Amino acid sequence: MRKTLWTRNFTLLIAATVFGSIGGIAGGFALSFLVYDETGSTLASALTLAIQFIPGFVIPLIAAPWMDRLPRKPFLVAGDAINGILYGLGGIYLLYRPFSYTAYLFFSLVLASLGSFDSLAYNSIYPSLIPEGMESKGYTVSSMLYPVLQVLMMPLAAILMDELGVAWILIIQGGLSILAALIESGIHLDEKNHMNGEPYTFHMWRNDISEAVTYLRQERGLRSIFHYMAVTNGVAGGYGPLLIAFFRVTPGLTSAMYGLFSAAEFIGRSIGGLLHYNLKLPEKKKFGFAFLVYQIYELMDMCLLWIPYPFMLINRGICGFLGINSAAMRQAAVQKYIPEQLRARVNAYESILLLAASSVLTLAVGLLGEILDYRLCMTLCAAFTMIFCWSSIWRNRKDVRAIYECNPTEKE
């Protein structure tokens, strides 16, 4: 019998993800406009985004140890169900009551907390639903899914907002989230409960955190991967404002031309995803390919603003092509390597690290852009990231290679 990725469990999870993402993209688009339309303040809009960083630090730290002791499916189903109810209630509120900025801040904080919780449950259960040997294909699907839906849904979300209004979009989003929860409830997964009927105490939480810390101290390869991804993503987060400013002040360039960057990356990402899904790279070559991609990616960023515009588009297309191949390979290798009983806690560490680095480095790049020429600023930032790659990934290549070439049987 031919082995397939698309088992009943995996198909149900992807279907639920599609419905949840469709609603999330449309709802997020509508809410981003709602705040500015009602307040007329960019600061008010920025504050609603900034406040959502708080749960990203707190929720994984609190919930991950608990989640590692219990079956994850109930967390996933309950998260989407509660999310759907809250969005539905928010939409109904807007139908009959005037907008309140204070209430919206609280609403955003609750939704961000729930989103962080749901994301942790999803990332922890996802590897368990991928058939053995299909990890690269499984993470290729997850890496392509949201970008594709975003390209398709953003124009539709704009039309729906004009035709139906924000309130009805939120109600529809609530319905789609509840539908996602119903689909997820059909997943059949044999998960163990490690609580043995005992209440979860602070002492147990402290021991669970200590166990994860001890594990990560011993795993230099994992730490190297997590630290490099945090730095490269954090620095890349600061490129957005730099690129916008560069396209606004450079003669011959326009904001519409900058908008085509997304299309170029999407095309490259789609081609790369299809290739990665259908071809399998030998285990012994995965680390070398990943490290090469990291170098090319940083080089592409270093030269991006110094080349003619048509080559800029090709540059972004290449980055999209290589990026999805590297991301799918890395996620598959890391999640297969992490012990199942520690997965939520280790994923929580990565999530917190990414958020912290993004908060600090995005601001640092923005401040540097106030001092230096935009082209020079981006080049220096990319050079810094490349140096960090050598000092983390290459310096600890033996440990990192062991993760990319992990054989689960040998590891046991």
Side-chain angles (χ1 to χ4, degrees):
M1 184 177 178
R2 186 182 178 185
K3 201 169 187 179
T4 178
L5 169 67
W6 297 94
T7 60
R8 181 179 184 275
N9 281 347
F10 187 78
T11 303
L12 288 174
L13 183 64
I14 294 301
T17 304
V18 169
F19 285 115
S21 298
I22 288 174
I25 293 167
F29 180 87
L31 287 174
S32 64
F33 278 88
L34 173 67
V35 176
Y36 183 76
D37 289 343
E38 294 289 342
T39 63
S41 169
T42 55
L43 177 61
S45 300
L47 183 58
T48 60
L49 295 176
I51 199 173
Q52 295 176 27
F53 280 102
I54 299 173
F57 286 103
V58 178
I59 299 300
L61 188 62
I62 295 174
W66 186 35
M67 200 174 287
D68 272 336
R69 287 179 174 267
L70 295 170
R72 284 131 187 186
K73 176 187 165 182
F75 289 108
L76 186 67
V77 175
D80 279 331
I82 297 171
N83 187 70
I85 292 170
L86 288 175
Y87 271 109
L89 291 174
I92 293 171
Y93 175 89
L94 289 177
L95 284 176
Y96 299 102
R97 303 282 296 178
F99 174 81
S100 167
Y101 181 70
T102 303
Y104 179 74
L105 282 179
F106 178 74
F107 184 67
S108 296
L109 190 61
V110 172
L111 289 177
S113 302
L114 189 61
S116 181
F117 186 84
D118 192 47
S119 177
L120 188 62
Y122 184 90
N123 290 332
S124 298
I125 200 174
Y126 190 84
S128 301
L129 301 181
I130 301 175
E132 186 176 346
M134 295 284 175
E135 290 85 3
S136 287
K137 287 180 179 288
Y139 280 98
T140 301
V141 172
S142 65
S143 297
M144 289 183 66
L145 195 61
Y146 191 82
V148 170
L149 290 174
Q150 192 169 33
V151 169
L152 296 175
M153 280 303 301
M154 290 296 274
L156 181 58
I159 296 172
L160 290 174
M161 191 174 69
D162 291 337
E163 296 295 328
L164 301 178
V166 175
W168 279 107
I169 289 180
L170 296 185
I171 292 171
I172 292 171
Q173 180 181 357
L176 290 172
S177 293
I178 292 173
L179 176 59
L182 292 173
I183 294 173
E184 289 162 350
S185 66
I187 293 173
H188 299 309
L189 187 63
D190 183 20
E191 296 185 283
K192 295 180 181 179
N193 187 327
H194 300 286
M195 291 294 293
N196 300 319
E198 300 177 12
Y200 193 66
T201 64
F202 175 76
H203 179 70
M204 294 169 68
W205 176 84
R206 187 177 60 186
N207 287 342
D208 288 342
I209 292 293
S210 178
E211 181 186 13
V213 170
T214 301
Y215 171 77
L216 283 167
R217 280 177 179 168
Q218 299 169 349
E219 293 293 341
R220 189 164 50 185
L222 277 179
R223 295 201 314 272
S224 297
I225 293 172
F226 290 164
H227 294 167
Y228 170 65
M229 295 313 300
V231 169
T232 189
N233 280 285
V235 172
Y239 289 161
L242 284 183
L243 291 171
I244 291 172
F246 180 77
F247 272 76
R248 295 293 287 177
V249 302
T250 304
L253 297 179
T254 65
S255 56
M257 293 170 73
Y258 170 66
L260 290 176
F261 272 21
S262 298
E265 286 192 31
F266 174 74
I267 293 170
R269 194 178 184 88
S270 299
I271 296 172
L274 290 172
L275 187 66
H276 192 83
Y277 185 87
N278 289 288
L279 297 178
K280 186 175 182 180
L281 191 69
E283 297 290 328
K284 297 297 182 182
K285 294 184 178 180
K286 287 185 175 180
F287 169 75
F289 176 79
F291 185 74
L292 177 63
V293 168
Y294 299 154
Q295 299 304 295
I296 294 174
Y297 215 104
E298 306 305 344
L299 283 171
M300 288 291 180
D301 285 343
M302 287 172 68
C303 70
L304 178 63
L305 300 185
W306 302 92
I307 56 180
Y309 179 72
F311 291 102
M312 287 184 180
L313 294 179
I314 295 173
N315 179 305
R316 294 299 90 184
I318 292 173
C319 287
F321 177 86
L322 294 174
I324 190 171
N325 282 277
S326 172
M329 189 186 304
R330 172 180 50 80
Q331 289 172 329
V334 166
Q335 295 304 321
K336 185 169 67 172
Y337 184 85
I338 299 170
E340 193 277 335
Q341 69 273 14
L342 284 164
R343 189 174 291 146
R345 280 168 284 175
V346 175
N347 285 336
Y349 171 78
E350 182 185 20
S351 174
I352 293 171
L353 190 64
L354 284 168
L355 188 58
S358 178
S359 302
V360 174
L361 293 175
T362 298
L363 180 61
V365 175
L367 290 174
L368 196 61
E370 293 290 318
I371 303 170
L372 300 177
D373 174 81
Y374 298 133
R375 294 178 298 178
L376 182 60
C377 178
M378 189 166 180
T379 299
L380 290 175
C381 290
F384 162 76
T385 310
M386 178 180 284
I387 293 170
F388 190 87
C389 180
W390 280 85
S391 64
S392 56
I393 301 294
W394 184 253
R395 181 184 178 188
N396 300 315
R397 58 191 176 278
K398 182 179 177 181
D399 300 286
V400 176
R401 187 188 296 276
I403 295 171
Y404 275 97
E405 299 172 3
C406 173
N407 185 317
T409 303
E410 290 179 4
K411 190 183 171 194
E412 288 176 8

